[in-house]
Amino acid sequence: MDAHRKDLYPDVTAAGGLVSAMKEAAKLRGCDIGLPPWATEAIGIETARGYVSVHPATEERLFRVRVLIPGFTWETPGFSWEIGSTDDLGLLVEAVAAWREGMPLDELAARFEFLELDEFAGALERGEPTSSQWADLLSAEFHRRQWNLLRRLHADEVLRNMFPTITHGAVRLRVDQLDGTSRQVLVHELEGERYEVIRPGVPGDDWAEVPTGDLIAYLRTALNQQ
């Protein structure tokens, strides 16, 4: 940290760095910001709505907050937004903790005025990055073998709203694009337009062969089950 930065962030310098300063501030406020004891950088704080990172500005005292939704294919590195900035370290850690706890976006915006969530919320509302992910998979030569299945799934008005990925040649559809543990199915295309389907995370579930004519209805039902 240079001399100019020390003038801007004396509390960070005194604590021994940004991570230590954030941990101290969070402890004082009884917050859990998700930084493990061994963390040395305030980046990649995992939450149910992506990875949160904090970046101090160099030209003025300002903690910039970004959210990254990682990509799930080699073509898509991910989607990221800057969701606000503040010069108040205490307010910063409270906002990170509330974000991790899953506070609704409208409540976050009302409680933490420095957060600018319009672009982030709008992207989710428009189905991004889901729509971008579909477009990438449907145009990637690397996934040509899955194109027929992808097109069939995307043609359905319900299934196209699920977040798609490719896992070992099978198409994975997930209900919540931000939650890797949400309801999901894996669909593997066999020869002769036959399909095998499994619901990852469902105890005792196994691959089931599903006739072509029943595939869409089967997947809809599987993804709607609680």
Side-chain angles (χ1 to χ4, degrees):
M1 184 175 292
D2 58 30
H4 180 55
R5 178 71 63 81
K6 289 180 182 178
D7 293 336
L8 294 174
Y9 304 97
D11 47 348
V12 172
T13 303
L18 180 58
V19 167
S20 297
M22 289 179 65
K23 288 178 181 178
E24 289 182 9
K27 184 176 181 180
L28 286 173
R29 289 160 179 76
C31 298
D32 181 3
I33 57 174
L35 284 172
W38 58 85
T40 59
E41 295 183 329
I43 59 174
I45 300 173
E46 187 173 2
T47 78
R49 286 187 295 233
Y51 290 83
V52 175
S53 60
V54 179
H55 309 272
T58 57
E59 68 281 2
E60 60 180 320
R61 178 185 171 88
L62 210 57
F63 300 100
R64 293 194 171 106
V65 186
R66 296 192 65 83
V67 173
L68 167 70
I69 299 175
F72 291 88
T73 68
W74 60 271
E75 304 94 340
T76 309
F79 307 84
S80 66
W81 294 265
E82 184 167 323
I83 60 169
S85 56
T86 178
D87 62 357
D88 188 327
L89 185 60
L91 199 60
L92 170 76
V93 297
E94 289 180 2
V96 171
W99 186 279
R100 287 188 70 248
E101 291 166 3
M103 181 180 287
L105 295 181
D106 57 344
E107 292 183 28
L108 277 164
R111 179 175 172 184
F112 303 101
E113 295 184 359
F114 74 89
L115 291 179
E116 301 169 0
L117 300 175
D118 289 347
E119 183 181 352
F120 181 84
L124 298 185
E125 229 172 64
R126 294 189 300 271
E128 298 172 358
T130 297
S131 59
S132 297
Q133 180 78 344
W134 275 109
D136 285 342
L137 294 179
L138 286 166
S139 62
E141 286 289 334
F142 186 77
H143 297 305
R144 176 178 285 273
R145 290 182 60 186
Q146 287 79 34
W147 277 358
N148 287 337
L149 175 56
L150 286 166
R151 287 168 181 156
R152 183 173 186 184
L153 300 177
H154 186 260
D156 183 74
E157 61 183 6
V158 173
L159 299 182
R160 76 166 64 105
N161 293 315
M162 307 300 165
F163 191 83
T165 59
I166 305 294
T167 303
H168 301 298
V171 175
R172 183 189 300 270
L173 298 180
R174 194 171 71 231
V175 172
D176 188 340
Q177 59 190 353
L178 300 181
D179 183 1
T181 65
S182 69
R183 292 191 306 280
Q184 54 192 283
V185 293
L186 269 176
V187 187
H188 180 243
E189 186 172 10
L190 304 171
E191 293 183 2
E193 290 193 353
R194 295 178 298 120
Y195 303 92
E196 286 184 332
V197 180
I198 192 172
R199 294 174 297 166
V202 176
D205 200 55
D206 201 356
W207 289 97
E209 186 166 330
V210 181
T212 299
D214 297 339
L215 180 65
I216 300 302
Y218 187 95
L219 296 178
R220 280 190 175 201
T221 300
L223 290 167
N224 281 329
Q225 289 178 349
Q226 299 297 326

